[in-house]
Short mmCIF file of all heavy atoms in Angstrom, two decimals:
data_model
loop_
_atom_site.label_atom_id
_atom_site.label_comp_id
_atom_site.label_asym_id
_atom_site.label_seq_id
_atom_site.Cartn_x
_atom_site.Cartn_y
_atom_site.Cartn_z
N GLY A 647 3.28 -5.83 22.98
CA GLY A 647 2.87 -4.54 23.60
C GLY A 647 3.53 -4.15 24.86
O GLY A 647 3.12 -3.18 25.43
N GLY A 648 4.57 -4.80 25.28
CA GLY A 648 5.25 -4.40 26.49
C GLY A 648 6.22 -3.31 26.20
O GLY A 648 6.37 -2.81 25.07
N VAL A 649 6.93 -2.88 27.21
CA VAL A 649 7.92 -1.84 27.04
C VAL A 649 9.29 -2.46 27.38
O VAL A 649 9.36 -3.15 28.41
CB VAL A 649 7.65 -0.67 27.97
CG1 VAL A 649 8.70 0.40 27.90
CG2 VAL A 649 6.26 -0.09 27.62
N PRO A 650 10.32 -2.35 26.65
CA PRO A 650 10.48 -1.53 25.40
C PRO A 650 9.77 -2.20 24.22
O PRO A 650 9.48 -3.39 24.28
CB PRO A 650 11.95 -1.51 25.22
CG PRO A 650 12.46 -2.76 25.79
CD PRO A 650 11.54 -3.03 26.96
N ASP A 651 9.55 -1.48 23.16
CA ASP A 651 8.81 -1.98 22.04
C ASP A 651 9.50 -1.76 20.70
O ASP A 651 9.04 -0.98 19.88
CB ASP A 651 7.42 -1.36 22.02
CG ASP A 651 6.47 -2.02 21.07
OD1 ASP A 651 6.77 -3.10 20.58
OD2 ASP A 651 5.44 -1.41 20.73
N PRO A 652 10.62 -2.40 20.50
CA PRO A 652 11.31 -2.25 19.19
C PRO A 652 10.45 -2.78 17.98
O PRO A 652 10.55 -2.19 16.92
CB PRO A 652 12.60 -3.08 19.35
CG PRO A 652 12.38 -3.95 20.50
CD PRO A 652 11.34 -3.37 21.34
N PHE A 653 9.67 -3.82 18.23
CA PHE A 653 8.80 -4.30 17.16
C PHE A 653 7.79 -3.21 16.71
O PHE A 653 7.62 -2.95 15.52
CB PHE A 653 8.07 -5.55 17.58
CG PHE A 653 7.05 -6.04 16.52
CD1 PHE A 653 7.46 -6.82 15.49
CD2 PHE A 653 5.73 -5.61 16.59
CE1 PHE A 653 6.59 -7.22 14.52
CE2 PHE A 653 4.86 -6.03 15.63
CZ PHE A 653 5.25 -6.85 14.58
N GLY A 654 7.19 -2.60 17.68
CA GLY A 654 6.20 -1.54 17.39
C GLY A 654 6.83 -0.40 16.67
O GLY A 654 6.20 0.18 15.71
N LEU A 655 8.05 -0.01 16.99
CA LEU A 655 8.73 1.10 16.32
C LEU A 655 9.05 0.70 14.90
O LEU A 655 8.81 1.48 13.95
CB LEU A 655 9.98 1.51 17.09
CG LEU A 655 9.79 2.12 18.44
CD1 LEU A 655 11.14 2.32 19.13
CD2 LEU A 655 9.03 3.45 18.28
N ASP A 656 9.59 -0.47 14.68
CA ASP A 656 9.91 -0.96 13.29
C ASP A 656 8.63 -1.04 12.51
O ASP A 656 8.61 -0.68 11.33
CB ASP A 656 10.61 -2.33 13.37
CG ASP A 656 12.00 -2.29 13.96
OD1 ASP A 656 12.54 -1.17 14.02
OD2 ASP A 656 12.51 -3.31 14.31
N PHE A 657 7.57 -1.56 13.10
CA PHE A 657 6.28 -1.70 12.38
C PHE A 657 5.74 -0.36 11.94
O PHE A 657 5.37 -0.17 10.83
CB PHE A 657 5.30 -2.40 13.33
CG PHE A 657 4.00 -2.74 12.72
CD1 PHE A 657 3.86 -3.72 11.80
CD2 PHE A 657 2.83 -2.09 13.18
CE1 PHE A 657 2.61 -4.01 11.21
CE2 PHE A 657 1.62 -2.38 12.65
CZ PHE A 657 1.48 -3.35 11.64
N GLN A 658 5.77 0.62 12.87
CA GLN A 658 5.28 1.96 12.51
C GLN A 658 6.18 2.60 11.45
O GLN A 658 5.68 3.31 10.56
CB GLN A 658 5.19 2.83 13.76
CG GLN A 658 4.05 2.47 14.69
CD GLN A 658 2.69 2.49 14.01
OE1 GLN A 658 2.39 3.39 13.16
NE2 GLN A 658 1.84 1.56 14.33
N ASN A 659 7.48 2.39 11.55
CA ASN A 659 8.39 2.99 10.54
C ASN A 659 8.14 2.45 9.16
O ASN A 659 8.14 3.21 8.15
CB ASN A 659 9.85 2.76 10.91
CG ASN A 659 10.27 3.61 12.06
OD1 ASN A 659 9.62 4.65 12.42
ND2 ASN A 659 11.29 3.18 12.75
N VAL A 660 7.86 1.14 9.03
CA VAL A 660 7.62 0.52 7.75
C VAL A 660 6.27 1.08 7.20
O VAL A 660 6.15 1.38 6.00
CB VAL A 660 7.68 -0.99 7.77
CG1 VAL A 660 7.17 -1.63 6.51
CG2 VAL A 660 9.05 -1.49 8.07
N LEU A 661 5.23 1.10 8.05
CA LEU A 661 3.94 1.60 7.60
C LEU A 661 4.08 3.06 7.11
O LEU A 661 3.51 3.43 6.07
CB LEU A 661 2.95 1.59 8.80
CG LEU A 661 2.44 0.17 9.17
CD1 LEU A 661 1.49 0.34 10.38
CD2 LEU A 661 1.75 -0.55 8.06
N THR A 662 4.81 3.86 7.87
CA THR A 662 5.01 5.30 7.49
C THR A 662 5.71 5.38 6.17
O THR A 662 5.33 6.19 5.30
CB THR A 662 5.80 6.01 8.59
OG1 THR A 662 5.03 5.95 9.79
CG2 THR A 662 5.99 7.49 8.21
N SER A 663 6.67 4.55 5.94
CA SER A 663 7.47 4.55 4.66
C SER A 663 6.55 4.18 3.51
O SER A 663 6.60 4.85 2.45
CB SER A 663 8.59 3.57 4.80
OG SER A 663 9.32 3.50 3.54
N ILE A 664 5.72 3.18 3.68
CA ILE A 664 4.80 2.76 2.62
C ILE A 664 3.79 3.86 2.37
O ILE A 664 3.50 4.19 1.19
CB ILE A 664 4.09 1.44 2.99
CG1 ILE A 664 5.09 0.30 3.02
CG2 ILE A 664 3.01 1.10 1.89
CD1 ILE A 664 4.58 -0.99 3.57
N ARG A 665 3.25 4.47 3.41
CA ARG A 665 2.28 5.56 3.25
C ARG A 665 2.89 6.75 2.49
O ARG A 665 2.21 7.38 1.67
CB ARG A 665 1.77 5.99 4.61
CG ARG A 665 0.77 5.05 5.22
CD ARG A 665 0.17 5.59 6.50
NE ARG A 665 -0.72 4.62 7.04
CZ ARG A 665 -0.54 4.05 8.26
NH1 ARG A 665 0.51 4.42 9.01
NH2 ARG A 665 -1.40 3.17 8.71
N LYS A 666 4.16 7.06 2.81
CA LYS A 666 4.79 8.19 2.07
C LYS A 666 4.92 7.86 0.60
O LYS A 666 4.70 8.79 -0.25
CB LYS A 666 6.21 8.41 2.63
CG LYS A 666 6.19 9.15 3.98
CD LYS A 666 7.60 9.39 4.46
CE LYS A 666 7.58 10.11 5.80
NZ LYS A 666 8.92 10.25 6.33
N ILE A 667 5.27 6.62 0.23
CA ILE A 667 5.38 6.29 -1.19
C ILE A 667 4.01 6.42 -1.85
O ILE A 667 3.93 6.99 -2.94
CB ILE A 667 5.95 4.85 -1.32
CG1 ILE A 667 7.40 4.78 -0.89
CG2 ILE A 667 5.83 4.41 -2.80
CD1 ILE A 667 7.95 3.42 -0.76
N VAL A 668 2.99 5.89 -1.20
CA VAL A 668 1.67 5.92 -1.82
C VAL A 668 1.16 7.37 -1.92
O VAL A 668 0.63 7.78 -2.98
CB VAL A 668 0.66 5.11 -0.94
CG1 VAL A 668 -0.76 5.29 -1.39
CG2 VAL A 668 1.03 3.62 -1.03
#
Side-chain angles (χ1 to χ4, degrees):
V649 176
D651 190 15
F653 175 85
L655 292 174
D656 291 343
F657 184 69
Q658 288 302 322
N659 288 339
V660 171
L661 288 177
T662 301
S663 177
I664 295 170
R665 284 185 183 118
K666 283 181 182 177
I667 292 169
V668 170

